[in-house]
Amino acid sequence: MKRILLLLSAMALLTGGCAQKPVVTTSTATPAPATSPGAAKTNKKIPQANPVPADWITMADEVRGYEFKVPKGTEHKTDTVNGVDVYAAVVPAPYDIQVLIFAFKDKTRTKDDLMKNVEGALQSMGEKDIKVTDIKEISDDYSVASISSVDEKGKTTKGKVLVGTDVTDNYIVMVGTEADKYAANEKTIDEIWGSFTMYSGGASGTN
């Protein structure tokens, strides 16, 4: 969690906007979430893969206009820093997945800008060998990419990042874990970022 909070602070320095209330829990148990805007699917067999959790909770922010799901039992923290609404969480063992969501207002930002913000935030907290690869445009409103970085102790984190843009609001969803745990948790990671939804339908009004 300490590493998550450091990233939270670094990200806040790169963005701006008007302060809003943080994300709140709106339900306590649901089946595994639908993968909208479209989590990656795979048929490959993963040795010792952790099963996708059966129980999930829905997190939502009515002001910013979005929601997403995380496994029940996830430990989380919410805050607003320099106008950026932040949600930082850890899905406990055996998953040990870290979740970071940033929401802020800036009508000038594009999806490419948001991807650059991710890289800049990691650099600001001392991460090295940062890689944002396999960037895929899901729609006019969403793009997803693979991400990895190495901390000062040489430990590699691997995950996915989803960026989304509305008419005025912007969203960055980062979900990852230690590199050696990624394969076992990839399906759950994809379910988390894939559950993210903007209420307004995004800038295009269709998603």
Side-chain angles (χ1 to χ4, degrees), residues 15-16 64 66 84-85 101-111 113-114 117 163-173 196 198:
T15 55
R64 292 292 193 195
Y66 69 95
V84 182
D85 288 350
I101 296 180
F102 306 95
F104 61 96
K105 285 187 177 294
D106 187 338
K107 64 182 180 181
T108 68
R109 298 294 176 99
T110 66
K111 290 181 295 181
D113 292 332
L114 297 178
N117 283 153
V163 299
T165 182
D166 202 337
V167 177
T168 58
D169 289 296
N170 302 283
Y171 310 95
I172 297 174
V173 181
F196 184 89
M198 294 184 285

Side-chain angles (χ1 to χ4, degrees), residues 24-30 56-59 69:
V24 297
T25 303
T26 58
S27 64
T28 58
T30 67
W56 295 69
I57 58 174
T58 298
M59 307 296 293
K69 295 182 174 71

Side-chain angles (χ1 to χ4, degrees), residues 114-190:
L114 297 178
M115 284 292 183
K116 292 176 181 177
N117 283 153
V118 172
E119 185 172 355
L122 290 169
Q123 290 175 341
S124 297
M125 62 176 292
E127 295 288 294
K128 299 180 180 179
D129 195 22
I130 300 165
K131 296 177 181 177
V132 180
T133 60
D134 300 325
I135 300 175
K136 297 177 182 178
E137 186 175 54
I138 298 175
S139 67
D140 291 341
D141 307 312
Y142 295 103
S143 289
V144 66
S146 297
I147 187 170
S148 67
S149 63
V150 180
D151 67 15
E152 59 184 9
K153 295 182 179 179
K155 183 176 294 185
T156 301
T157 297
K158 184 177 180 181
K160 298 284 182 66
V161 56
L162 175 77
V163 299
T165 182
D166 202 337
V167 177
T168 58
D169 289 296
N170 302 283
Y171 310 95
I172 297 174
V173 181
M174 300 175 67
V175 190
T177 188
E178 294 177 12
D180 60 356
K181 298 179 181 179
Y182 180 79
N185 294 304
E186 185 175 8
K187 289 184 178 180
T188 300
I189 287 172
D190 284 341

